[in-house]
Amino acid sequence: QLQPVESGGGLVQIGGSLRLSCTTPPGFTLNYYEIGWFRRAPGKEREGVSCIGSNGGAPFYGDSVKGRFTVIRDKAKNMVYLQMNSLKPEDTGNYYCAARYNEDYVCITNQNLYDYWGQGTLVVVSS
């Protein structure tokens, strides 16, 4: 079974940057899967942040992160990154990498469509 694994979370100051990574243990690959990034802020429901198609086309960004976050797929390294810049306190939360088998260029941040989920990595943004 595919098991996404996130890393890269931590404590960062307001306006700072952080780069999250999503990969899989040996024997599996993310290259055939649509990858979504989701987050859950303290006391709130999980929400979509960004996603990228299995072939890297047509990435999507939620309005709250558009222009600040970038999702990148590196197939050679079996990695999907979420580059987060100009971080705000509202970006604080647990960030999850999720996957669903999809050969399309497009993606969608509907969490109900994703089959495989990572355990999450914590991002804390403060002054």
Side-chain angles (χ1 to χ4, degrees):
Q1 184 176 354
L2 186 72
Q3 179 58 68
V5 180
E6 313 97 333
S7 63
L11 177 64
V12 62
Q13 291 184 327
I14 297 171
S17 297
L18 209 58
R19 187 181 180 93
L20 306 183
S21 300
C22 178
T23 188
T24 59
F28 298 90
T29 178
L30 297 176
N31 293 344
Y32 305 105
Y33 292 82
E34 176 181 336
I35 302 298
W37 286 97
F38 302 84
R39 70 185 181 190
R40 184 170 183 170
K44 298 183 179 180
E45 297 294 321
R46 190 166 56 194
E47 64 176 351
V49 175
S50 180
C51 65
I52 189 168
S54 62
N55 52 23
F60 172 83
Y61 303 96
D63 290 340
S64 63
V65 306
K66 194 173 300 181
R68 299 187 297 118
F69 289 13
T70 304
V71 63
I72 305 161
R73 185 189 290 272
D74 188 338
K75 290 187 174 181
K77 296 182 178 179
N78 188 35
M79 300 286 288
V80 176
Y81 306 103
L82 183 67
Q83 179 66 46
M84 305 185 295
N85 299 325
S86 302
L87 285 163
K88 305 174 181 179
E90 63 198 73
D91 295 318
T92 293
N94 275 300
Y95 282 71
Y96 301 87
C97 175
R100 60 186 290 254
Y101 187 84
N102 194 337
E103 297 180 357
D104 293 341
Y105 261 93
V106 299
C107 67
I108 185 170
T109 53
N110 183 344
Q111 62 182 325
N112 294 324
L113 300 178
Y114 286 81
D115 303 305
Y116 309 103
W117 290 79
Q119 62 186 7
T121 185
L122 180 63
V123 173
V124 178
V125 184
S126 64
S127 60

